[in-house]
Amino acid sequence: MGIAAEALKDFKGFNLKKLPEVEPLSPGHRACQGCGEILALRQVLKALGENIIVASATGCMEIVTSPFPQTAWRVPWIHVAFENAAAVISGVESAYKALNRKGKIQQPDVVFLAYGGDGGTADIGLQALSGALERGHNFVYVCLDNEAYMNTGIQRSSSTPYGAMTTTSPPGKKSIGQRTWKKNVAYIAAAHGIPYVATASPAFALDLMNKVKKAAMIPGPAYLHIHSPCPTGWRHETDMAIEVARLAVQTKVFPLYEVIDGKWILSRKVAKPKPVSEYFKVQRRFRHLTEKDIEEIQRRVDEEYEELLRRCAMSGEPEKKESEESAGE
């Protein structure tokens, strides 16, 4: 039995009838109306509770929760640079380990959380994240992926989807918009051989919170990649964040899965996938795409989903088919 499997053998997940009442992130923050990212962060923190220390990379969630002299944080929190949230939290984790060993404190169960957006994770912070994963620090890293540098003006990142419009990848006569395909950071994290990797969506709150709880229970590094709709940058209506997030899963654009001790497990198999056009049509960042462009993207989405299914099949893990009840989480 692997490290993660051993830690999770008695795992009991959250359920809708008994969710945590704790709110480590207070209301009154300054996130945009309808922000899917702040909702995802709130779900993460509710799952972890108050016995945590948080390192925040520069980004939307740092800006909206900490305008001096105010703060939305009810737990120890440190804002660090764009590129080094994983490095800082690994240092904090090492310091606590040393202080516990020397008997100067008695706090062995603190959870160490670092988070950043896709810019601070897939781009600027990838080196620090890789180093922390490779060294085996006991921490949870969460990427809140809104697919561009939203805080600084909606510039493209390596996590921006192919064809999407941003201020630095505008469509035109000689441009489709973003010209590269989305970097798969969850796969990169899994390639480090760490005990736990997962993808999650705020549209499926129980799935997200249970994955966060698992990540905290497992000794060693854990990585979660959370799809986080942004009405401002994605150009969708402010009441559509959850619907957009759900469509991303239902169209196979953002599949939900776990990698536990190297075994790939599909969290939910989409039995009747919707076409990617259903996901695109509610976001104005894709409105310039032609039918031919969408056909090419659909082909790529199908190929990547089939590759994921093969990985899960090779691991010999059962698939979890989506039900009407689970779809409505």
Side-chain angles (χ1 to χ4, degrees), residues 53-80:
I53 294 176
V54 184
S56 167
T58 294
C60 289
M61 294 301 96
E62 169 261 321
I63 292 294
V64 304
T65 61
S66 63
F68 183 82
Q70 301 168 331
T71 179
W73 292 92
R74 292 168 169 162
V75 293
W77 174 89
I78 181 172
H79 165 228
V80 297

Side-chain angles (χ1 to χ4, degrees), residues 29-36 38 61 64 230-232 238:
H29 52 72
R30 300 185 182 186
C32 296
Q33 185 177 10
C35 174
I38 195 72
M61 294 301 96
V64 304
C230 172
T232 304
T238 55

